[in-house]
Amino acid sequence: MSGRFTYNPQGNGTLICTGIRRHLIAILVLFFFSPVNLFAQPLRDDGEENNYDEITLVLNVQRIGSLEIPAIIFGQTAYLPVKDIFDFLKIKCDLSPDMDLATGFFINPAAPFSIDKTEGKILYMGKIFTLEPGDIIKTESNLFLKADYFGKVFGLDCIFNFRSLSVTLTTKIELPAIREMQLELMRRNISRLRGERKADTVIERSFKWLHLGMADWAVYSVQQSDGFNYARFNLGLGAIIAGGEANLHLNYSNNQPFNKRQQYYSWRYVDNNKTLIRQITAGKIFVQSNATVNSAVTGMQFTNMPTTYRRSFGTYTLSNTTQPGWIVELYVNNVLVNYIKADASGFFSFEVPMVYGSSAVKLRYYGPWGEERTSEQFMNIPFNFIPENQFEYTVTGGVISDGTKSRFGRANFNYGVSRHITIGGGVEYLSSVTSGKSMPYLNASVRMGPGLLLSGEYISGVRSKGTISYRRPSNLQAEFNYIKYNPKQTAVKFNYLEEKRFVVSMPVRGKKFSAFTRLTLDQIMLPKSKFTSAEFLVSSVICGISSNLTTYAILSEPKPLVYSNLSISFRLPAGIRFTPQAQYEYRQKNISSVKGEVEKTLFARGFVNFLYEKNYQTKANTFVLGFRYNFSFVQTAFGARQTGRSAAYTQSLRGSLLYDKTSRYVGTGNQTSVGKSGLIIHPFLDINCNGTRDAGEPVVSGLNFRINGGRIEENRKDSTTRVTGLEAYNNYFIEFDKNSFDNVAWQIKNLTMTVVTDPNSFKLIEVPVAVVGEVSGSINLKSAKGTDGLGRIIVNIYNSNSKLVAHTLSEQDGYFSYMGLAPGNYTAVVDPAQLGKLNMTASPAVLSFTIKPGKDGDVADGLDFVLKVDIKAETGSIK
């Protein structure tokens, strides 16, 4: 049962129901139209209706929503408006001017229908449904049909609930309204993937001169029974200097002196709104190079490539192996786009989105005991496409930090010839290359059809490379790579002559299982020999059981070496995971090793595991016991390993510090934070509704929102919400819940927001919660018979500057209201254009009212207009 609610400013926000009349009407209906009501008049035999009063019901349609509709009730039977219901369901329906015929088509134009009161029949799909006298009712403004016929004829089952005065409509038919909602949802999702969502508010980057905001730390220690002890300490500091991101990473271990080559520092200035230069980086830079460069380059880099994640046009399957159970994060152009946990054998697979521009893909690995791979694996997608007529460049120069002081330089250029062709080239310089310090190169990428991609590259004096990739709609993907090296080149640090690789992969999905299969063939040609290997992998999840079967083969030897590794992971009761593993060698025809691991979750954030391994070739037994616990401020891990008589013990701690000067916030975290960003969502009561926080406007709690990334932490002490772990320079879309507050006078005007994050800092987002007022009154029609409420009359509301700020419609009983007015002086006027069409006048013509500022809002009621017919206008005496 719905009602109107307003706030009483004298009663500290107590709700007063001004919809009592509606409840009284429901009670009267229950009395007069109940089955035991002796005063209910049946329909006459001639089918003509008695004088019925319309009443408002609530129509509920699953997956669509609800709507208030007029209806006629007789006893326990409801008569529903044909056009109102069909319009709500997006079904074509037209009413004749005299309201006795409804025509249209049901979903499909080939399925016309007509509901004819005069003939007393319904025609649909070639069938005629005869209406009994009293099954259809015509009024001056609508045509009502007995609710049962919606189900009998059209499959729209309508169940009338007399007690709640509601009708529930259910159907197995895919209604046009549902299809339209699904299409709209798909369009919104596509827009989100493409970054095309438009927000009510956009907050751009802010450039600070000096700010210290983030710090990471990690300690890793190992003690062995043979007396070897090892300890490593890592410290990362993140700041803003001169508007740019400044990061410092210090690394120290007890088994070697402090080495400056193991210390990393960088400063990066980013402005994606520029066109000539968008990024400037100085310090130690990890570069992409054609020659073998294993260390960072100390120097500078300029590029016009943006840091924002650009629209993708397809995906590229990337798979690899690491340690079992490790978390792998996927970054595309320094933006985290996905993460996955390696399966029972360490296998993982990503569908990497191919975006316009250079797609530098890198992976970060995190182990269960706090391990973190400091060396990031750069994996370039072999296809580089940029939009048509767009030009991109990257220029890098510096000295390689490997002790040789080799000078390095690289200038790379790409141009989009068309939507399907991108060409590029450049020159690379490395002073330590004896076969030629300068290495010019050319490359091209071509899209031929929806699934065929071609890529080629030529580096003068070094190598030639070609790639062909074909992908079917079933996601079957085949790829062939061929590289031919110049025998005299010294830029690449190995003596290969040729490399060939063929990979075919395909995911398989069913209702209760999913699997990924991959076959890889590799061949390397050396000056005096060749090396050939193959790998076939099947990774699957069936009924919640994860399994991996990988078969390796080295085909270069006189007798191939072939062995298979099978791993299965079971989820057992009590939060226990059991992973058995076995390796079988086909040459020896026996099992070379078996392994079993048991892991259990403790206290939601803790994990304990036990591992046993038996190696039949070395006849060694290995026992591993470990425990890890993730506190909110630190990740801890402890482990013990026994192999034969040798034992080793490990301990690790990892955490981060976060600081914000504006809000005086100092916090801790158990994830890395250097180079990341954060937001502080600070809602406040905007009492004067000017959009900015003024003195005396308090903060409020309880604001709910969604954001496409990060971790949300609510602080009830200061009524703020912090979002951590966001990528710097990225655009994040925030959606606020308009129903966050119990007080209906507290409203959020701008429900969506796009925020560009700042590196190594928190950005304060003040969200104004407008405290609005309500105006209410009535529209009454004066006639010779008396005064009655009049519905669907437009009431315009003007501010003190005579500007139209709102309008509302009166309901059937003449009542009108509008919630959402800022404090100030207003006037209410019945719409003059509508009065002119109806040949009516209003008295009074204008009503003034005031909305007072306050924390609980204000109500201006009692605005009553009386309308009467202008007799002079009707007789034409007024020209």
Side-chain angles (χ1 to χ4, degrees), residues 702-728:
L703 176 62
N704 300 320
F705 63 91
R706 295 189 299 270
I707 183 172
N708 56 330
R711 299 178 296 275
I712 300 177
E713 303 171 1
E714 185 176 356
N715 190 338
R716 297 184 177 180
K717 294 182 179 180
D718 57 3
S719 301
T720 61
T721 303
R722 294 177 178 86
V723 184
T724 59
L726 300 175
E727 296 299 320

Side-chain angles (χ1 to χ4, degrees), residues 252-260:
Y252 172 76
S253 59
N254 65 336
N255 61 349
Q256 61 182 3
F258 188 81
N259 189 345
K260 66 178 183 180

Side-chain angles (χ1 to χ4, degrees), residues 184-201:
E184 179 62 26
L185 179 61
M186 291 174 61
R187 284 191 289 267
R188 288 201 303 265
N189 289 339
I190 292 173
S191 297
R192 292 182 181 185
L193 292 174
R194 294 180 176 180
E196 297 173 354
R197 290 184 295 178
K198 293 184 179 180
D200 300 327
T201 306

Side-chain angles (χ1 to χ4, degrees), residues 23-89:
H23 294 275
L24 291 176
I25 291 174
I27 295 173
L28 292 175
V29 169
L30 287 172
F31 175 77
F32 284 107
F33 296 105
S34 63
V36 297
N37 180 17
L38 300 178
F39 298 97
Q41 298 295 322
L43 297 175
R44 298 205 304 263
D45 294 337
D46 59 4
E48 293 299 323
E49 304 84 20
N50 289 317
N51 294 324
Y52 293 103
D53 291 328
E54 297 181 14
I55 188 170
T56 300
L57 299 181
V58 177
L59 174 68
N60 299 309
V61 183
Q62 189 178 12
R63 297 172 60 190
I64 296 179
S66 59
L67 175 72
E68 287 189 350
I69 59 172
I72 292 175
I73 299 176
F74 178 74
Q76 291 287 335
T77 303
Y79 293 79
L80 306 179
V82 176
K83 183 169 175 57
D84 292 43
I85 289 182
F86 282 172
D87 286 349
F88 186 56
L89 302 179

Side-chain angles (χ1 to χ4, degrees), residues 628-701:
R628 67 184 188 273
Y629 192 87
N630 296 332
F631 295 92
S632 60
F633 59 93
V634 65
Q635 293 185 16
T636 63
F638 307 92
R641 184 183 186 93
Q642 178 81 35
T643 303
R645 297 183 179 181
S646 175
Y649 307 93
T650 62
Q651 307 87 36
S652 69
L653 299 171
R654 186 176 70 179
S656 62
L657 298 174
L658 305 93
Y659 170 68
D660 179 62
K661 180 179 180 181
T662 304
S663 60
R664 299 180 180 179
Y665 166 74
V666 178
T668 58
N670 59 11
Q671 302 287 338
T672 59
S673 60
V674 172
K676 301 290 184 66
S677 301
L679 300 176
I680 298 178
I681 309 298
H682 206 190
F684 68 94
L685 285 185
D686 189 12
I687 297 176
N688 57 6
C689 298
N690 64 351
T692 58
R693 188 180 181 188
D694 301 316
E697 294 183 333
V699 297
V700 293
S701 59

Side-chain angles (χ1 to χ4, degrees), residues 77 158 739:
T77 303
C158 297
N739 300 317

